[in-house]
Amino acid sequence: MKPSLRSRQEPRRVSNSVIIGAMLLSLCVLSIVKARYCATPFGKAEDQLQEQMNASIRMETEESPARTPGEEEEEEEVATTAPAVTTPAVVATSGSGGGKGKGKKGSKAKPTCYMTSKRSERCDASGDIRVDGNRSTIYVSGIDREWRTKPYARYHDPVAMAHVREYTLKPLPAGDAAPACTRNHSVPGFLFSNGGFSGNLYHDYTDVLMPLFISTHQFKGRVQFLLTGMKPWWVAKFTPFFQQLTRFDVIDVDNDREVHCFPRIVVGATFHKDMGVDPRRSPGHVSVVDFKRALRRAFGLGREAASRGGATGAGRPRLLIISRRGSRRFLNEREMARAAAAAGFEVRVAEPDQHTDMATFARLVNSADVMVGVHGAGLTNMVFLPRGAVLIQVVPFGGLEWLTGVTFKDPAADMEVSYMDYNVKLEESSLIDQYPRNHQVLTDPDAVHKQGWDALKTAYLDKQNIRMDLDRFRATLQEAMSRLPSP
C-alpha cells in the first residue's frame, strides 16, 4: 500500500510544482512589463518637472517675512523641493508635526494631531485647555504625549513653513504646576497663522482664507480666533471677512501675555485644493460659491450676476484691465483700453497692491463683467467677480499653460466664472527683443523647463512683458462679449 500511495502522490506534487512555477514566472513577466511601461504616468522629463511644480505652486509674497508692506512686490515662484509628508496615523502612537512620546499601544482613537491633506495638519482637543502663546505652548488635559504643529496650510513647502511659528501641545501638569488661567472663554479656540507667504493675495486666499472658511464656518460665529505671526495691517485688510466667521476680535496670541482657557482647541485649518473648496469633504457640504457669498456679505457687494447690459442691464458691459508695474506688464495698455471701448465695453484699468483698500477694490471687481490680466497674484481678485462674468488670463510665452491652469483656470469653473486663455505669441513678447532669434529661450521652451524652475522663472516670468496684438485682442473681446449672459 505505501509504495502505491507514494506513487499516486508524486504526480500531484509535480503538478503542484509546475503550477507554482508558472505563477512565479507570470509574476516576473508582469514585473518586467510594469517596470518597462508603467513605472511613471509621465512619459517625459519635463512632465515630471511639471508634476513636481504642480504639487508646490508658490507665488512669492509681496511682503516676504523680512519685508515691510511698502517694499517692492516679489514675483510668483514655485518651490521645486519635494516635500516629505507622512501618512496620517489612525492610532495615537503615530504622530505628525514632530511630536514626542508614545500613546497607548493598540489605541484606535483619532490622534490629537493628524494630517488632513498633504498640505494641512489639524490638532483637535477638548477638556481643560490652556493656551500660553508667549511660550508657544498649549496645555491639554487627558493627553499623554507632546505634539508639535505649525498652523499654516502649506506643509509641502519647506520655504513657507520655515516662516511659521511652531506650537507644542503638552499634557496639562497636575496641581500648581499648571499655568493659571488669566482669561476664560466659553467657546472653542481656533489657532491659525498668517506667516508663510501671506501678504501675497494668491496665498492669502489659497493658504489661509479658504482653509479657514472650510474649518470654521460650521461654528456659526461661536469661535475665538487666535492668530500667530500676526501682521496688524493684514488683519485689518481681512477683518470684514473674519467677522463673517467669528463674533469676537482676533487675538494676537503670541504677544498678549495671557493664558487663555478654552473647553476646546482646534489648531490648523484644512486645505482642499488651490483656490477651491471640495463640497464632498466640507462640513455642511459648502462650496467655493458659499465662500464667495461670505465675501460678498463681508465687503457689501450687491451684484450677483454679470450681464451683457452691464450693471444696469441696459448699458455697456464693463471690462476691468488688471495692470502691473513690474514684470509681465502690458506695454500697450492704453491702446488696449481704446480697442475695448471701441468694441462696446466700458473700460476701467486698475492695479491692486498692499495699500489698496480691500473693500473699494472688491466693489470695483464686482462691478466688472469681464476681467483681463497677465498671470499673477492680481487675478486672485476673480473671487469678487459676479456669477457669469468672464476671466481672461493672458498666458506669457514659454509653455506655462500648466502653471496658469492650476492657479486660475481650474478654480474658475467652481466660482461660476467663464474662463478664457489668451496665449501670448512670440511676436507679442518682449523676449524677442532680448534674445537672438535662434536662442533656446525663444525656440525651445521645453529645454528651458528641463533646466529647472529657476531657469524657467528667470526667462519667462521675471524678464517678460507683453505687447498685445490688438486684432487678436479684439477677437478675444468679441468672444468674451458673446459669453456674457443676456440682460
Side-chain angles (χ1 to χ4, degrees):
M1 288 294 292
K2 289 182 180 180
S4 176
L5 285 172
R6 191 180 301 117
S7 64
R8 292 174 186 171
Q9 291 170 351
E10 284 175 355
R12 292 180 184 174
R13 290 174 182 170
V14 172
S15 177
N16 290 340
S17 299
V18 170
I19 292 171
I20 293 171
M23 291 175 65
L24 291 173
L25 181 60
S26 299
L27 287 173
C28 291
V29 171
L30 287 173
S31 298
I32 293 170
V33 171
K34 182 179 179 181
R36 174 63 180 86
Y37 297 104
C38 307
T40 173
F42 308 104
K44 298 184 294 184
E46 59 266 35
D47 292 335
Q48 296 179 34
L49 172 64
Q50 172 179 326
E51 179 65 14
Q52 185 182 17
M53 291 177 180
N54 281 350
S56 190
I57 295 298
R58 171 155 60 90
M59 295 190 179
E60 278 196 333
T61 57
E62 298 164 24
E63 179 206 5
S64 67
R67 288 177 176 260
T68 60
E71 291 186 279
E72 182 180 354
E73 174 188 71
E74 290 190 70
E75 299 304 336
E76 289 76 5
E77 183 178 340
V78 174
T80 56
T81 304
V85 177
T86 56
T87 303
V90 294
V91 293
T93 55
S94 298
S96 55
K100 293 181 178 180
K102 294 183 178 180
K104 295 179 180 179
K105 187 175 181 181
S107 171
K108 297 298 181 182
K110 181 178 286 187
T112 302
C113 299
Y114 51 95
M115 300 299 293
T116 53
S117 75
K118 69 179 180 181
R119 288 176 52 158
S120 56
E121 181 176 51
R122 175 187 177 98
C123 301
D124 193 343
S126 298
D128 188 349
I129 311 293
R130 308 187 187 191
V131 180
D132 186 349
N134 280 272
R135 293 178 173 80
S136 304
T137 302
I138 301 171
Y139 297 96
V140 180
S141 62
I143 64 172
D144 56 4
R145 57 162 288 183
E146 291 186 2
W147 304 82
R148 293 193 178 96
T149 188
K150 291 186 174 185
Y152 184 77
R154 205 163 184 86
Y155 260 77
H156 69 310
D157 193 329
V159 178
M161 299 309 290
H163 300 288
V164 179
R165 188 171 184 174
E166 183 180 75
Y167 266 70
T168 304
L169 283 73
K170 294 183 177 182
L172 181 68
D176 294 339
C181 298
T182 61
R183 187 172 172 186
N184 290 287
H185 303 265
S186 60
V187 299
F190 191 95
L191 176 65
F192 67 104
S193 173
N194 71 340
F197 298 140
S198 61
N200 170 281
L201 197 62
Y202 179 82
H203 290 289
D204 290 339
Y205 280 90
T206 203
D207 296 347
V208 182
L209 300 181
M210 286 187 178
L212 188 66
F213 174 77
I214 291 167
S215 304
T216 65
H217 74 89
Q218 67 270 23
F219 289 109
K220 301 186 183 302
R222 293 189 54 78
V223 62
Q224 174 65 65
F225 285 170
L226 307 171
L227 183 57
T228 173
M230 177 184 277
K231 303 167 186 172
W233 62 268
W234 186 91
V235 173
K237 188 175 184 178
F238 293 110
T239 289
F241 176 71
F242 295 145
Q243 290 172 343
Q244 299 299 309
L245 299 175
T246 177
R247 304 175 187 176
F248 311 99
D249 292 337
V250 177
I251 293 175
D252 179 1
V253 69
D254 297 339
N255 301 303
D256 74 342
R257 301 188 180 280
E258 301 271 12
V259 175
H260 296 271
C261 292
F262 295 94
R264 179 186 176 191
I265 189 72
V266 180
V267 184
T270 296
F271 174 88
H272 284 175
K273 55 185 178 178
D274 288 284
M275 290 293 291
V277 179
D278 183 353
R280 298 168 300 178
R281 298 170 56 196
S282 5
H285 303 291
V286 295
S287 68
V288 74
V289 172
D290 297 297
F291 174 79
K292 288 184 64 177
R293 193 172 293 122
L295 285 176
R296 279 210 310 272
R297 290 194 301 267
F299 295 109
L301 309 180
R303 192 170 184 227
E304 293 190 18
S307 167
R308 205 174 302 164
T312 65
R316 290 152 56 108
R318 175 172 287 182
L319 172 72
L320 175 61
I321 299 175
I322 299 295
S323 186
R324 292 176 63 94
R325 279 180 295 182
S327 66
R328 282 164 284 146
R329 69 182 183 273
F330 291 123
L331 297 175
N332 57 342
E333 195 167 76
R334 291 183 180 180
E335 291 86 347
M336 291 169 59
R338 285 196 290 267
F345 285 94
E346 177 189 338
V347 182
R348 294 288 186 275
V349 180
E351 180 188 357
D353 58 28
Q354 289 181 350
H355 305 288
T356 302
D357 179 74
M358 179 62 72
T360 300
F361 200 81
R363 287 193 291 270
L364 175 62
V365 176
N366 187 244
S367 74
D369 301 283
V370 179
M371 187 170 83
V372 60
V374 185
H375 170 76
L379 294 187
T380 309
N381 287 288
M382 66 189 284
V383 296
F384 301 121
L385 287 172
R387 182 180 68 254
V390 179
L391 172 67
I392 304 171
Q393 179 174 203
V394 177
V395 180
F397 175 82
L400 303 178
E401 289 78 10
W402 63 270
L403 174 62
T404 57
V406 72
T407 47
F408 300 113
K409 179 180 180 178
D410 296 345
D414 289 343
M415 294 188 188
E416 299 181 323
V417 171
S418 180
Y419 176 88
M420 294 176 62
D421 276 326
Y422 182 101
N423 292 288
V424 171
K425 294 182 178 180
L426 180 56
E427 291 73 18
E428 299 172 278
S429 171
S430 64
L431 297 177
I432 200 169
D433 300 320
Q434 300 175 40
Y435 296 94
R437 288 302 298 261
N438 61 350
H439 195 281
Q440 188 180 64
V441 166
L442 307 185
T443 62
D444 194 358
D446 286 345
V448 178
H449 287 211
K450 290 177 184 178
Q451 296 171 30
W453 172 251
D454 289 339
L456 180 156
K457 177 178 180 292
T458 300
Y460 301 118
L461 296 179
D462 293 347
K463 293 184 177 182
Q464 183 170 188
N465 296 311
I466 290 128
R467 185 176 298 278
M468 298 281 278
D469 181 313
L470 295 180
D471 289 335
R472 289 188 65 208
F473 184 54
R474 291 186 189 98
T476 301
L477 292 179
Q478 289 176 0
E479 182 180 348
M481 180 83 79
S482 69
R483 292 191 181 195
L484 288 174
S486 298

